Amino acid sequence: MTLKQLEAFYWAATCASFAVAAERLHLSVSSLSKRIAELEEGLGLSLFDRSGHKAVLTDAGQRLLPQARDLLASAEQIRASLAQSTGLSGRCRFGVGELTALTWLPRLIRGVRAAYPDLVLEPYVDIGQVLEQRVADGELDFAVIAGRSSRPNIASTAIGQAEFSWVAAPAVLDGATRMTPALLERLPLVTLPAGAGTTRIIDDWLAGREAGGERLCCNNWGAVVGLLIEGTGVGLLPSHWAGALQAEGSLRVLDGDRPLAALPYAFQYRRDDARPLVGKLRAEVQAAADFAAPCRIP
């Protein structure tokens, strides 16, 4: 039994597929499978039931899983304590929402590349619901997502928050200056899809109010801004962005009888990931995060 065999087993058992586990370990699927087969042969036990469409853990595999996790975590601690270099190398895949991508992602990448020039960064942009699932499946090393995760295997560290304001084009407001349920009855709500963090802000604001009307969902902030400027409906934008568009006359910021709640963001990662990469990248994210940075719309 070797650490490489246990590593292959552990990630194959906890990732979405053998292919994802192999990619995470920089192996081919055949090499990953070979290591697992060698471990099974050495133990004299089958760790995976391969009779179905997808390999699943046997009873022996279930018993080995927590022991493998603890052994790998201890091995990682030993490596970290004896390492002569504090640098990072290899590849880091991580996820961010579009607001992060439009504001402080370039600053993060610049800082990480300066600190760890041998580390290759691969950022992915999507809504939080998708990114959280990819972290859980082992496809991403971490993600910056609105809110804390409710999954027991995902840890969340707060890194900042974003403020939002209601806006609409002056031409469709007919002199209105306040955001009301009546306005939503008259104008479509232009917003991101349900899996985005802004949905919870809207739902919180609507709680206890009788407001119907149409929702026009679009998964791109730039398109949402364009639709709002063209007078398609009413929506919310990051407050500093909304203020800049009001200053140029494209949109009007609407007052409300109660303010929109701030949207907290968190650095999310798998609790079983003990690599130094996670801790060091979390520190870089905390240093770079600035949701009030100027938005860069292509």
Side-chain angles (χ1 to χ4, degrees):
M1 181 189 305
T2 68
L3 280 175
K4 287 186 176 181
Q5 291 170 354
L6 286 171
E7 187 178 52
F9 160 74
Y10 181 79
W11 290 109
T14 60
C15 286
S17 66
F18 274 34
V20 171
E23 194 167 12
R24 187 182 186 98
L25 296 175
H26 309 297
L27 297 171
S28 65
V29 175
S30 60
S31 295
L32 180 90
S33 298
K34 181 180 179 182
R35 289 184 183 180
I36 295 172
E38 290 170 347
L39 177 61
E40 290 177 318
E41 183 178 354
L43 293 172
L45 294 167
S46 293
L47 301 174
F48 288 95
D49 180 353
R50 300 171 176 83
S51 61
H53 176 69
K54 181 180 178 181
V56 295
L57 287 173
T58 62
D59 289 342
Q62 293 282 5
R63 294 196 303 272
L64 178 60
L65 188 61
Q67 299 178 69
R69 180 191 61 225
D70 293 343
L71 281 169
L72 292 172
S74 296
E76 193 60 55
Q77 291 175 357
I78 292 172
R79 290 192 193 102
S81 66
L82 297 178
Q84 296 181 351
S85 171
T86 59
L88 297 173
S89 60
R91 181 173 56 181
C92 175
R93 292 181 166 182
F94 65 98
V96 297
E98 192 183 8
L99 182 56
T100 297
L102 292 172
T103 52
W104 54 271
L105 177 61
R107 178 183 176 186
L108 171 66
I109 292 178
R110 183 171 62 249
V112 173
R113 292 186 67 182
Y116 309 109
D118 295 328
L119 183 66
V120 177
L121 298 176
E122 295 184 7
Y124 291 83
V125 181
D126 212 321
I127 60 174
Q129 192 176 64
V130 173
L131 296 176
E132 184 176 358
Q133 184 63 54
R134 295 190 69 183
V135 171
D137 288 344
E139 297 176 14
L140 297 176
D141 295 306
F142 69 86
V144 177
I145 304 173
R148 300 182 63 85
S149 176
S150 60
R151 299 170 185 256
N153 64 326
I154 300 291
S156 303
T157 302
I159 55 108
Q161 64 181 27
E163 305 281 345
F164 290 83
S165 300
W166 291 111
V167 295
V172 301
L173 288 172
D174 294 333
T177 61
R178 297 180 65 79
M179 181 62 185
T180 62
L183 197 60
L184 285 178
E185 296 284 351
R186 184 167 65 83
L187 295 173
L189 174 60
V190 182
T191 183
L192 295 176
T198 48
T199 301
R200 70 193 67 180
I201 301 178
I202 295 171
D203 290 344
D204 287 347
W205 190 87
L206 290 173
R209 303 172 187 263
E210 293 185 5
E214 176 189 358
R215 285 201 185 194
L216 177 57
C217 295
C218 181
N219 67 345
N220 178 272
W221 270 119
V224 169
V225 171
L227 290 168
L228 291 171
I229 290 174
E230 287 299 315
T232 305
V234 62
L236 54 79
L237 292 178
S239 295
H240 66 290
W241 194 3
L245 291 169
Q246 177 172 255
E248 69 178 37
S250 300
L251 293 173
R252 178 176 295 165
V253 176
L254 301 171
D255 296 325
D257 56 359
R258 66 185 183 210
L260 287 163
L263 184 60
Y265 280 79
F267 179 98
Q268 297 190 11
Y269 61 99
R270 282 177 45 153
R271 293 185 186 276
D272 58 1
D273 195 341
R275 293 173 300 163
L277 169 78
V278 174
K280 291 180 179 180
L281 266 293
R282 181 173 60 231
E284 293 289 338
V285 166
Q286 289 174 318
D290 180 9
F291 292 97
C295 290
R296 299 173 173 87
I297 296 293

